[in-house]
C-alpha cells in the first residue's frame, strides 16, 4: 500500500513501475531484473484512464487480449473464458454492447474484468475507490482479495488506508517523491499529519 498527500508522487511511482515512465534517477528492477520487452505482459496498471476501445463491445475488448495471456502462467481460479470474467463483474448481460454507451461505473467494471482475465503477476492500482458507488467499491474489494488469493503481487496507491490496509502486507508513505516511512499497514494512519484545527474567533 502506497499513501501520501496529493502531489506527493504516488501516481508517478506507479506509472514508473508500469514502465510508462522512465526513472529520472536510480535504477528500476521488476521481477528481479531491469525491464525488457517482455515485462509489460507480466503486469497491469488500473488507473483513472481505462484504455478501452469504445467502438468495440465489452466482449470484443476482452477477446483482444486473449492471445497475450495464452502463454502466461494462470493461477487457479482465474477466469478461463471472456464470459467468466464478465460474469464476475456483472456485465455478461451487456457483453455485446459498445463500450461507448457504458456509464463510468460500467467502464470501471470492464477494466476490472480485463484485469481478472489477464491475471498479471504484478497489479498496480491507482486510487481504486475514486468516484465509485458502494457496489463498485465492493467490486474493488473483491478484486484485491482475488489477487491475493492467487498469490499475485499488488501495489495500491490510496487515501482509503483503513479499507485497503487489511489486504496489504506493507505500507509505504511517499512525500515529495521520496519514501518517507515504511511499516505495517495498521500503523499507516498514525503517520498522517493531524487534521487542521478550527481557530476560535
Amino acid at each position: 500500500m502506497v499513501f501520501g498527500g496529493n502531489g506527493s508522487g504516488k501516481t508517478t511511482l506507479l506509472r514508473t513501475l508500469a514502465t510508462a515512465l522512465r526513472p529520472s534517477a536510480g535504477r528500476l528492477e521488476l521481477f528481479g531484473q531491469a525491464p525488457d520487452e517482455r515485462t509489460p505482459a507480466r503486469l497491469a496498471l488500473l488507473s483513472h484512464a481505462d484504455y478501452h476501445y469504445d467502438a468495440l463491445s465489452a466482449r470484443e475488448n476482452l477477446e483482444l487480449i486473449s492471445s497475450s495471456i495464452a502463454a502466461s502462467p494462470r493461477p487457479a481460479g482465474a477466469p478461463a473464458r471472456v464470459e467468466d470474467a464478465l460474469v464476475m463483474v456483472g456485465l455478461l448481460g451487456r457483453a455485446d454492447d459498445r463500450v461507448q454507451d457504458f456509464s463510468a461505473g460500467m467502464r470501471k467494471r470492464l477494466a476490472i474484468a480485463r484485469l481478472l482475465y489477464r491475471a498479471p503477476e504484478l497489479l498496480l492500482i491507482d486510487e481504486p475507490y475514486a468516484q465509485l458507488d458502494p457496489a463498485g467499491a465492493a467490486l474493488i474489494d473483491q478484486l484485491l482479495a482475488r489477487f491475493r488469493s492467487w498469490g499475485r503481487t499488488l501495489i495500491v496507491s490510496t487515501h482509503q488506508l483503513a479499507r485497503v490496509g487489511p489486504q496489504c502486507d506493507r505500507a509505504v508513505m511517499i512525500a515529495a517523491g521520496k519514501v518517507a516511512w515504511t511499516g505495517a499497514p495498521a500503523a499507516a494512519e498514525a503517520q498522517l499529519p493531524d487534521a487542521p484545527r478550527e481557530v476560535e474567533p
Side-chain angles (χ1 to χ4, degrees), residues 27-139:
R27 183 176 66 180
L28 174 63
E29 287 191 2
L30 293 166
F31 311 110
Q33 62 184 35
D36 58 27
E37 67 278 358
R38 296 167 295 179
T39 301
R42 301 176 66 184
L43 57 82
L45 171 65
L46 178 63
S47 64
H48 305 294
D50 51 42
Y51 304 108
H52 297 315
Y53 293 97
D54 285 3
L56 300 181
S57 69
R59 186 192 308 276
E60 290 168 335
N61 267 270
L62 294 188
E63 286 175 345
L64 281 175
I65 66 172
S66 295
S67 59
S68 67
I69 67 172
S72 302
R74 306 279 291 160
R81 303 179 305 153
V82 165
E83 289 77 9
D84 298 332
L86 292 171
V87 166
M88 286 181 175
V89 299
L91 283 180
L92 186 60
R94 302 293 300 272
D96 297 311
D97 293 347
R98 290 186 178 184
V99 175
Q100 65 190 20
D101 298 324
F102 281 11
S103 67
M106 292 170 65
R107 295 177 70 92
K108 177 73 83 171
R109 286 174 178 269
L110 182 58
I112 293 172
R114 185 174 63 225
L115 296 174
L116 292 168
Y117 189 44
R118 281 191 58 198
E121 296 172 61
L122 171 61
L123 177 56
L124 309 162
I125 309 182
D126 191 12
E127 293 296 348
Y129 298 99
Q131 300 177 330
L132 286 183
D133 60 14
L139 194 60

